Amino acid sequence: MLIGYARVSTIGQNLDMQIQALERAGCEKIYAEKVTGNGIDRSEYQQMKEFLRDNDDTVVVYKLDRLGRSLKHLIAEIQEFQQRGIGFKSLQENIDTLSSGGKLFFHIFAAIAEFERDLIRERTQAGLAAARARGRLGGRPSKLNEAKIQAIRKLYADRWRVNYVRGA
């Protein structure tokens, strides 16, 4: 039986594209969730693993990085599937670990996927550092301008005088 797994990293993202691709691939059951790959609590993924029948089922994902948190984790998961006689397919990378060529491509694409994620992370960090060097700070803009800050400080400094007058 083909068992699909779909995951997006944030609540704002949509699972529809992945689910449709898994349905077109012939998945009879699909587990889907919105949780980061780094998150430990991937309850749908755990339920899928418990549902899988040894020497019978094949796990199908839309893209390789949907399954694992890192190259090491991804390889460990695929090795666990192989030990249980469970196949693995990735639609985007056209990987099928039931074939020897698929096993080779899995290892190659897993390394490339991790390399790509690392490049994106490095570019993001470099962009943030360049912005900081130009004087730009990240995050939400402050709602308080200098005039409001001065008014708050004045009210705070005068609080004892106001209380004293009230008590007179």
Side-chain angles (χ1 to χ4, degrees), residues 83-166:
Q83 289 170 355
R84 292 178 57 189
I86 295 168
F88 173 75
K89 290 184 180 184
S90 175
L91 302 177
Q92 283 295 106
E93 292 84 5
N94 200 20
I95 295 173
D96 184 350
T97 62
L98 297 176
S99 71
S100 57
K103 289 177 188 175
L104 172 66
F105 282 125
F106 162 72
H107 290 286
I108 292 170
F109 277 109
I112 291 170
E114 182 163 328
F115 177 69
E116 181 182 14
R117 281 192 306 276
D118 288 345
L119 283 178
I120 291 169
R121 188 178 305 114
E122 287 173 10
R123 281 190 230 125
T124 300
Q125 293 302 320
L128 291 171
R132 280 191 294 274
R134 291 189 311 269
R136 302 225 25 214
L137 298 177
R140 176 186 278 186
S142 177
K143 287 188 173 186
L144 297 177
N145 58 30
E146 192 57 37
K148 288 181 182 178
I149 292 172
Q150 292 302 322
I152 290 169
R153 286 184 179 147
K154 183 174 178 349
L155 286 171
Y156 184 77
D158 291 344
R159 74 185 185 287
W160 298 112
R161 195 171 55 126
V162 172
N163 287 339
Y164 179 73
V165 171
R166 284 189 192 156

Side-chain angles (χ1 to χ4, degrees), residues 49-68:
K49 284 178 67 173
E50 291 170 11
F51 178 81
L52 293 170
R53 295 170 297 185
D54 294 355
N55 302 313
D56 192 27
D57 292 332
T58 298
V59 174
V60 182
V61 295
Y62 175 71
K63 196 172 178 189
L64 200 54
D65 66 352
R66 300 296 84 199
L67 185 70

Side-chain angles (χ1 to χ4, degrees), residues 6 8 13-24 32 34 62:
V8 291
Q13 292 176 321
N14 196 320
L15 287 161
D16 293 345
M17 178 182 67
Q18 290 181 50
I19 291 172
Q20 290 169 3
L22 294 171
E23 288 171 344
R24 282 193 305 272
K34 295 184 178 190
Y62 175 71

